[in-house]
Amino acid sequence: MSGIYDVYKYLPNRIVKSLKNSDINVHKAITEIRIRKNRELIIVVNSHSCFINAEGKILTKPENGCIKVNSDEFEQLFMNMCSYSVYSKTHELNNGYITLDCGARAGVASEAVFNGNEIKSVKNINSINIRIPRAVSGCADKLLKSIYYDEALPSIVVAGLPNCGKTTLLRDLGTQLSSGYNERYRKIVFIDERFEFFGNGNASGLAPGINCDIISGFSKAEGIENATRTLSPEMIICDEIATQNEINSIMFAFSTGISIAFSLHASGIEDLKRNEIIKLLVSYGKVSAFVIFEGYSFNYKICKIDEVFNENCSSLAVDYFNNGNGSYILNES
């Protein structure tokens, strides 16, 4: 079932009705629902921002009759998303999002309230962007056949623009590897910091593989370290690597022989060449390939390391640790 049906329970009734009135092919293609207080409702279909009227007709511009979300509907939607406990969502709201039970992440635009230099809370919520999660069974087939055809589990980097399909691909990769691909049930751990891979267990069609473990709610750095120490994974899968702590944790996992599959934002090969995180991890000698998404078409290509990095960056890892950055060999607790 499409992930959009799981989102319906949060939306105002008339919005749900209009979406249900639209063509079934629209449902399959919706990736975002963008809701602004007292403004036109926008749905993103195949990367195009569109409008919709009460009859479910998709409009390319805000014509008369297109749905607007009033203040009462917006407030009701927000409270539904918070399960009527805004306090319980404080940490997420302070970081600009709410994760729904179904695994959808809703970005929240608001005004920060500071206590000194730290964000204490937010106020004046003015827009919400719901990203629709979907399991696309088989979308990792090309990747699996290309580089996961033998006993080894090579480490990979999945790169692309936001909302292009990176999480969907990683989800299917780990699910297939842990569910008997090539007659092996590999030990896979997902680090699901924001509950985007599998939600909280209630999401339609987002079931993990039979030999999957899921660490949810922890930061990626903490999750990788915990998995490495306690769950003996063959591969760890996580989303959107960006910080030094996350790099350190990946290095720690690499040092124990664990493979990693992770994503990051990049628009293409030239972006990867400029990315210091990627240069460092490549220099460590553990990353085998890049999976690069081409725009929003859900098409991806698989590149070997030497297709992206022709220059020699072998000294980067040495310099990194000599400068005191790489404290990845952690003290035993």
Side-chain angles (χ1 to χ4, degrees):
M1 181 180 289
S2 170
I4 194 169
Y5 292 99
D6 291 324
V7 170
Y8 279 167
K9 66 180 181 180
Y10 301 99
L11 299 174
N13 289 334
R14 71 188 185 103
I15 293 177
V16 172
K17 185 176 180 180
S18 69
L19 289 170
K20 287 183 176 180
N21 284 339
S22 65
D23 189 281
I24 188 64
N25 291 320
V26 171
H27 285 82
K28 296 178 181 179
I30 293 176
T31 57
E32 299 177 34
I33 301 174
R34 307 181 71 88
I35 303 156
R36 299 176 176 90
K37 188 186 295 186
N38 295 319
R39 299 290 300 275
E40 291 82 2
L41 176 75
I42 292 178
I43 59 174
V44 179
V45 182
N46 291 328
S47 78
H48 296 288
S49 293
C50 305
F51 306 87
I52 189 169
N53 65 18
E55 289 73 40
K57 182 180 178 181
I58 303 302
L59 309 168
T60 57
K61 52 188 175 182
E63 301 172 3
N64 289 336
C66 71
I67 286 180
K68 290 186 177 182
V69 181
N70 63 46
S71 296
D72 290 341
E73 290 173 322
F74 187 90
E75 296 300 328
Q76 184 66 42
L77 167 67
F78 176 66
M79 293 305 297
N80 283 344
M81 291 171 52
C82 292
S83 300
Y84 293 89
S85 176
V86 177
Y87 177 80
S88 69
K89 298 292 185 179
T90 297
H91 174 74
E92 293 182 6
L93 287 167
N94 288 355
N95 286 279
Y97 71 95
I98 298 173
T99 301
L100 308 181
D101 289 349
C102 61
R105 185 173 67 182
V108 177
S110 60
E111 179 182 342
V113 177
F114 284 88
N115 182 9
N117 292 325
E118 294 186 1
I119 297 178
K120 179 181 178 182
S121 61
V122 298
K123 63 180 181 179
N124 297 334
I125 310 295
N126 55 74
S127 68
I128 295 169
N129 174 34
I130 303 174
R131 293 172 57 177
I132 308 299
R134 287 188 178 86
V136 182
S137 180
C139 68
D141 286 354
K142 179 173 72 171
L143 174 59
L144 287 162
K145 292 175 183 177
S146 296
I147 63 176
Y148 291 100
Y149 48 81
D150 56 19
E151 294 294 304
L153 285 179
S155 294
I156 63 168
V157 177
V158 179
L161 298 170
N163 207 28
C164 71
K166 300 185 296 296
T167 302
T168 303
L169 178 68
L170 287 171
R171 183 192 296 119
D172 190 55
L173 173 67
T175 298
Q176 290 205 53
L177 286 172
S178 65
S179 296
Y181 181 77
N182 268 355
E183 299 184 351
R184 292 285 302 275
Y185 293 83
R186 312 308 288 259
K187 296 182 291 182
I188 307 296
V189 176
F190 282 88
I191 311 302
D192 202 359
E193 181 178 7
R194 297 183 175 182
F195 300 88
E196 291 181 273
F197 281 115
F198 299 105
N200 68 353
N202 296 323
S204 299
L206 299 184
I210 194 170
N211 202 14
C212 270
D213 298 301
I214 304 166
I215 295 178
S216 303
F218 289 85
S219 71
K220 285 184 283 288
E222 291 171 328
I224 293 168
E225 292 164 14
N226 289 348
T228 301
R229 291 182 179 280
T230 65
L231 293 174
S232 68
E234 294 174 78
M235 173 179 277
I236 294 173
I237 296 178
C238 54
D239 240 353
E240 297 182 8
I241 293 298
T243 71
Q244 181 174 301
N245 284 342
E246 292 163 2
I247 296 172
N248 291 346
S249 296
I250 289 174
M251 295 290 201
F252 175 50
F254 279 160
S255 73
T256 68
I258 297 170
S259 298
I260 306 283
F262 67 89
S263 70
L264 52 74
H265 291 158
S267 61
I269 287 178
E270 293 305 315
D271 257 7
L272 289 173
K273 288 181 177 180
R274 292 188 291 266
N275 191 304
E276 295 302 319
I277 291 176
I278 291 302
K279 288 181 181 179
L280 175 61
L281 292 174
V282 167
S283 73
Y284 201 58
K286 299 295 184 180
V287 176
S288 297
F290 294 103
V291 179
I292 303 174
F293 276 83
E294 301 171 338
Y296 294 99
S297 64
F298 207 79
N299 292 322
Y300 60 84
K301 59 184 177 181
I302 302 164
C303 300
K304 296 178 180 179
I305 294 300
D306 58 8
E307 293 180 71
V308 177
F309 289 99
N310 295 318
E311 68 271 20
N312 181 7
C313 55
S314 61
S315 64
L316 278 173
V318 174
D319 292 342
Y320 183 74
F321 293 113
N322 286 345
N323 290 333
N325 296 313
S327 54
Y328 71 95
I329 304 300
L330 306 177
N331 294 323
E332 294 293 336
S333 56

